[in-house]
Amino acid sequence: MDEVLLRSLTPSVLTVLVRRGADFAAAEDAVQDALVEALRVWAADPPRDAKGWLVTVAWRKFLDATRADTARRRREDRVDEEPAPGPTPAVDDTLQLYFLCAHPSLTPASAVALTLRAVGGLTTRQIAEAYLVPEATMAQRISRAKRTVSGVRFDRPGDVATVLRVLYLVFNEGYSGDVDLAAEAIRLTRQLAARIDHPEVAGLLALMLLHHARRAARTASDGSLVPLAEQDRGQWDTALIAEGVGILQAALARDRLGEFQAQAAIAALHADAPTTEETDWVQIVEWYDELTRLTDSPVVRLNRAVAVGEADGPRTGLAALAALDASLPRHAAVAAYLHERDGDLATAARLYAEAAHKAPNLAERDHLTRQAARLNARGCR
């Protein structure tokens, strides 16, 4: 059973059901039921046309559910619309579905959460971590979004800003999380850039390419994380870096700065440095100042503290960090790094261990645990 194939087909199947008149919440439930059925039967009897099979089964699941409601006669008329068996045209509706989920009846935050859950394939826990809220809070937000769009005709697409936010979060989860969605996010952002001439669309694509260019160097052969300062820059994809920088320069030349362009500029400065020591940290801090002005994000301020520590010394970085909420994700890891740079190894080891306990994934937890062990071993000598 190829779960990656199932995930890739889900948006197209969901789009077919919505186009045939199913409201979004019922369509999503039907598609999920069809995926469960596929996991049960495909191993012994795989279909020739996977998408056609899923469309047929999902539509039947939808009809079964709607027949149980009060308006039986109206809904039974839809039986005649059941897709005929046979090959289904291979049409990529994923980007269109992103726009449909970013519906005007939803707030941008709710639209992003709903799309990440229904189309992006992320779990409620992963979405909650991206938004820095409890999982229960995010579950309620998604449920409210489903209720809001229940029965709504999906004929008015949402705005580009919401779709960009979704693609950004999908890429981040694919780049650093448990599910590999980064390549899919890049593919969809390329499609969007080809359709829409907007500097922030270009900025997001440049950001993705610049980060993805470093991906091969981010993990060692045993799967452990390799920090940026220790990465083999010979493994970086220079073609992707050149493409990303070119796209970014064209976007910045339009003088309509947005947060994705600012983030891409920071990534470009890292990519341009031959070594960590030659990184232009002063200019990176300046870009973080721009990014803070644009977003006022606590995560941006956390990353800025690291850059300040590199540009002006660890104690200055710690002073910037002191102004932030210590409950922020990765706050302890940043504090540990800056304390180590300042020579306080005992405090750094304790904070690395604390950060490992709070790490969002196994690879990051193992890395932070090794950092704590390394400093503890140095302290015992």
Side-chain angles (χ1 to χ4, degrees):
M1 168 54 56
D2 189 344
E3 294 187 24
V4 175
L5 172 62
L6 286 176
R7 188 182 298 117
S8 69
L9 291 173
T10 298
S12 293
V13 176
L14 186 55
T15 301
V16 171
L17 267 64
V18 170
R19 284 176 173 171
R20 290 180 177 276
D23 69 71
F24 187 89
E28 186 193 5
D29 289 342
V31 171
Q32 293 301 318
D33 288 343
L35 294 177
V36 172
E37 186 74 5
L39 288 170
R40 187 179 69 83
V41 305
W42 280 15
D45 184 22
R48 292 184 178 180
D49 177 17
K51 178 182 173 182
W53 189 98
L54 286 171
V55 168
T56 300
V57 173
W59 186 251
R60 286 174 179 164
K61 296 286 185 183
F62 168 71
L63 293 177
D64 288 344
T66 55
R67 287 193 188 100
D69 294 334
T70 54
R72 182 176 299 274
R73 179 181 300 178
R74 171 178 171 272
R75 288 169 177 141
E76 285 183 345
D77 289 341
R78 293 177 179 169
V79 173
D80 296 333
E81 300 177 18
E82 181 177 327
T88 305
V91 178
D92 184 0
D93 298 311
T94 309
L95 189 58
Q96 180 184 5
L97 192 56
Y98 271 65
F99 272 96
L100 291 176
C101 287
H103 198 272
S105 63
L106 294 171
T107 65
S110 294
V112 170
L114 179 63
T115 313
L116 289 172
R117 182 71 186 91
V119 190
L122 274 63
T123 65
T124 303
R125 175 184 60 81
Q126 290 168 324
I127 302 169
E129 289 173 352
Y131 269 88
L132 308 180
V133 299
E135 183 175 349
T137 301
M138 183 53 65
Q140 292 175 354
R141 184 179 299 178
I142 294 172
S143 295
R144 284 196 301 269
K146 287 182 178 180
R147 288 196 298 271
T148 299
V149 299
S150 180
V152 170
R153 291 288 298 177
F154 277 73
D155 54 0
R156 293 184 298 155
D159 67 346
V160 175
T162 300
V163 174
L164 287 178
R165 177 63 51 192
V166 174
L167 289 169
Y168 173 68
L169 291 173
V170 169
F171 176 81
N172 278 348
E173 187 60 39
Y175 188 71
S176 61
D178 302 323
V179 183
D180 187 359
L181 299 168
E184 174 68 359
I186 291 174
R187 184 182 71 83
L188 293 173
T189 307
R190 284 191 186 278
Q191 288 186 8
L192 187 60
R195 299 181 189 182
I196 299 176
D197 182 20
H198 191 287
E200 272 294 83
V201 177
L204 179 58
L205 179 56
L207 175 63
M208 289 180 175
L209 295 176
L210 289 164
H211 278 303
H212 208 60
R214 303 202 304 261
R215 188 163 192 178
R218 291 185 72 248
T219 54
S221 57
D222 61 359
S224 59
L225 288 180
V226 180
L228 177 62
E230 300 172 19
Q231 288 177 15
D232 177 5
R233 300 186 179 220
Q235 293 186 50
W236 292 0
D237 189 327
T238 54
L240 279 184
I241 291 173
E243 182 184 5
V245 169
I247 292 171
L248 173 63
Q249 289 175 338
L252 291 175
R254 301 176 66 173
D255 199 23
R256 291 167 57 191
L257 184 64
E259 62 174 295
F260 295 125
Q261 295 170 72
Q263 288 190 56
I266 293 169
L269 286 167
H270 283 298
D272 186 56
T275 65
T276 302
E277 294 73 22
E278 296 174 88
T279 303
D280 189 345
W281 288 106
V282 172
Q283 192 171 352
I284 287 176
V285 171
E286 292 174 355
W287 276 111
Y288 270 121
D289 289 339
E290 289 286 349
L291 194 53
T292 300
R293 180 181 60 80
L294 290 166
T295 68
D296 196 28
S297 162
V299 175
V300 170
R301 293 182 182 274
L302 187 69
N303 292 330
R304 179 184 178 276
V306 177
V308 169
E310 299 288 354
D312 301 324
R315 293 192 180 182
T316 307
L318 286 167
L321 187 65
L324 302 177
D325 187 346
S327 66
L328 275 173
R330 298 185 173 89
H331 185 284
V334 170
Y337 174 76
L338 291 172
H339 276 290
E340 181 183 357
R341 288 278 318 282
D342 196 38
D344 187 351
L345 302 189
T347 300
R350 175 179 59 79
L351 288 168
Y352 275 130
E354 178 185 329
H357 180 70
K358 299 176 180 178
N361 57 67
L362 182 60
E364 190 169 334
R365 186 189 72 188
D366 289 348
H367 169 72
L368 292 167
T369 300
R370 282 193 296 271
Q371 295 293 86
R374 173 179 58 83
L375 294 186
N376 283 327
R378 286 178 62 182
C380 293
R381 292 175 184 173

